[in-house]
Amino acid sequence: MSRELAKEVLSIEAEGIMAVHDRLGDEFEQAVDLIMACPSRLVVTGIGKSGLVGQKIAATLNSTGTPSLFLHPVEAMHGDLGMVAATDVVLAISYSGETSELNRLLASIKERSIPIIALCGRKDSTLSRHAIVTLDVAIPREACPLGLAPTTSTTATLAMGDALAVALLNRKQFRAEDFRKNHPGGSLGARLKVAIREVMLTGTKIPSVSVLASLAEAVAELNAKNMGAVFVTGEGKELRGILTDGDIRRLLSSQANVLDVSLTEAMTPHPLAIASDLMAADALSIMQQHEITVLAVISEQGELVGILHLHDLLGKGEFRFLI
């Protein structure tokens, strides 16, 4: 019974996020442009459950390269408004758009000609009228059976905040090493600073064959190591190429007779590689930039000494980033 109810709640919340997804329009680009043009900070404000969501949004923005602070509307009206500079942009959160404490604050902010972005479920609300841009997070229904407790609405609001953070991250070309700089301490910071040689797979765990091997031998190694790729090396173990699952699929779908194709014809020469003395975060940046899942690790002489798989960095291996 409880499990079925839980599934229903998750379905309702997913329905709410998809409703927001389907309505998303040019106003989102306007909001991103406004924040990108801001020379100082994004001030996030809201009260109650919206305030708690706002605190999380501000934290996510800070960690992904958009300087932000959370401002409590009541405390702001008793002096904390001094934290807001004329060059800031305000992101105000209220599902109804009629939260009295928030709207009193926004009237003061508007008097200072500070631009306001509304994160709201009603475009005809007082909050929306204060704002330059309104991000509509209206949902069909709350997951709460009474229709009273903010459930789907807060989930949709949080998801919109995440969408903003990721869009801004992309615009700013924020990289893994930038993320590392914002997390110098704690478990995450320590893991991002680990040298590649400490986490790479070595020895017989590396899927590799000689450049003199046949295509069939390379495919056998590909299947045996199950890493999605096999590296091809020269006589001195120097990295010469890579053969991936995708290469095999493309080869099979072509008109060529597979039995007549050599390994050097099927492989991709000069694959991306990284030095073992760099950091794991540097490897992650390369993988993200080039949208690859495996990366060769080479010595100063260009010899293949290890391999990194994205799973080892992000969750399936023993080395994990707790992002």
Side-chain angles (χ1 to χ4, degrees):
M1 183 66 178
S2 295
R3 182 172 61 185
E4 293 306 314
L5 180 58
K7 287 183 177 181
E8 183 182 358
V9 169
L10 293 173
S11 295
I12 293 171
E13 299 216 353
E15 173 189 67
I17 290 178
M18 288 311 300
V20 174
H21 167 278
D22 293 343
R23 288 195 311 272
L24 197 65
D26 293 341
E27 68 281 352
F28 187 83
E29 292 290 348
Q30 295 169 18
V32 171
D33 290 341
L34 198 59
I35 298 169
M36 285 293 296
C38 174
S40 49
R41 303 162 305 179
L42 181 66
V43 178
V44 183
T45 185
I47 198 168
K49 303 298 187 297
S50 293
L52 294 173
V53 170
Q55 291 177 55
K56 191 276 177 185
I57 292 174
T60 299
L61 288 164
N62 276 320
S63 69
T64 53
T66 301
S68 307
L69 66 85
F70 178 77
L71 179 67
H72 193 286
V74 175
E75 297 298 331
M77 296 303 289
H78 292 273
D80 282 0
L81 189 54
M83 292 191 294
V84 183
T87 52
D88 290 339
V89 171
V90 170
L91 176 66
I93 306 172
S94 169
Y95 186 74
S96 69
E98 300 298 341
T99 306
S100 57
E101 298 92 341
L102 179 62
N103 287 334
R104 281 197 294 271
L105 167 63
L106 296 182
S108 298
I109 287 174
K110 196 172 182 181
E111 287 177 2
R112 302 184 181 195
S113 299
I114 297 171
I116 297 168
I117 300 169
L119 201 47
C120 183
R122 286 181 49 198
K123 287 187 173 182
D124 60 346
S125 63
T126 302
L127 170 55
S128 293
R129 288 194 292 273
H130 279 308
I132 292 177
V133 180
T134 295
L135 297 177
D136 182 7
V137 290
I139 46 96
R141 53 181 172 156
E142 296 285 8
C144 168
L146 302 176
L148 299 174
T151 46
T152 309
S153 57
T154 49
T155 300
T157 301
L158 186 59
M160 183 66 83
D162 287 341
L164 268 178
V166 172
L168 290 163
L169 176 154
N170 184 63
R171 281 274 199 102
K172 293 170 183 283
Q173 297 184 327
F174 192 80
R175 301 165 299 173
E177 51 263 43
D178 301 316
F179 191 91
R180 184 178 72 239
K181 291 175 185 176
N182 290 342
H183 297 78
S187 175
L188 175 58
R191 290 172 187 268
L192 285 168
K193 293 177 183 176
V194 170
I196 288 170
R197 61 176 174 271
E198 297 182 45
V199 295
M200 68 185 187
L201 300 178
T202 60
T204 58
K205 294 181 179 179
I206 304 174
S208 66
V209 293
S210 166
V211 71
L212 301 177
S214 66
L215 180 58
E217 289 173 320
V219 172
E221 178 74 354
L222 185 67
N223 290 334
K225 299 296 171 62
N226 196 30
M227 298 282 285
V230 58
F231 292 108
V232 182
T233 60
E235 293 182 8
K237 296 300 181 183
E238 71 276 8
L239 182 62
R240 296 279 293 275
I242 185 173
L243 182 72
T244 68
D245 287 338
D247 292 328
I248 299 300
R249 287 195 299 272
R250 284 186 288 274
L251 185 61
L252 291 173
S253 64
S254 70
Q255 300 301 315
N257 186 340
V258 176
L259 297 176
D260 295 334
V261 178
S262 68
L263 174 57
T264 52
E265 290 174 314
M267 73 180 191
T268 300
H270 312 299
L272 290 169
I274 193 169
S276 62
D277 58 347
L278 293 178
M279 297 296 174
D282 298 315
L284 182 58
S285 289
I286 292 174
M287 290 179 171
Q288 290 175 329
Q289 181 181 353
H290 295 278
E291 298 182 348
I292 57 176
T293 57
V294 293
L295 183 63
V297 184
I298 57 174
S299 67
E300 291 182 5
Q301 294 74 35
E303 298 172 344
L304 179 67
V305 295
I307 180 176
L308 282 172
H309 195 288
L310 189 62
H311 288 163
D312 295 320
L313 300 181
L314 295 181
K316 284 195 174 180
E318 294 180 359
F319 179 80
R320 304 185 180 196
F321 288 157
L322 305 179
I323 297 180

